Amino acid sequence: MRRDLMLMEAILGQLLQSPDPQMTASGIAQRLNVEAAIARHHLHLLLDKGLVQEIEAGVWRLSNQGHDYLEGSPDQAMSLARPR
């Protein structure tokens, strides 16, 4: 499966905008209209970068580093494709 950076950004956005601090992978998939397996794969890629945490099986939250990533100024913006 190929990595979709736009989907990764959209997942981060969903976690940030959610009124609940945690979301299930299936809930994220449903909101973004993608298959649950694809959402889980991309959540694990975001986990690799430290931007999300799986707090229990299938339940995810935005990490402090994820908040920092999303709140960075345009000058500080880093692509998900580049190492931090």
Side-chain angles (χ1 to χ4, degrees), residues 2-73:
R2 293 186 66 99
R3 175 177 66 171
D4 182 338
L5 299 177
M6 290 178 63
L7 177 57
M8 292 168 70
E9 291 277 355
I11 289 170
L12 292 174
Q14 286 297 314
L15 289 167
L16 181 66
Q17 295 170 8
S18 174
D20 192 344
Q22 55 202 29
M23 292 182 72
T24 64
S26 60
I28 293 168
Q30 186 176 25
R31 285 183 176 204
L32 297 175
N33 197 30
V34 298
E35 294 178 28
I38 293 171
R40 281 192 303 273
H41 173 70
H42 286 81
L43 280 160
H44 282 102
L45 292 173
L46 290 165
L47 178 65
D48 292 345
K49 293 193 81 57
L51 300 177
V52 298
Q53 290 182 330
E54 188 173 23
I55 56 174
E56 61 183 73
V59 180
W60 297 84
R61 74 174 186 89
L62 196 57
S63 69
N64 191 51
Q65 188 172 339
H67 280 281
D68 288 346
Y69 172 84
L70 291 170
E71 293 170 2
S73 70

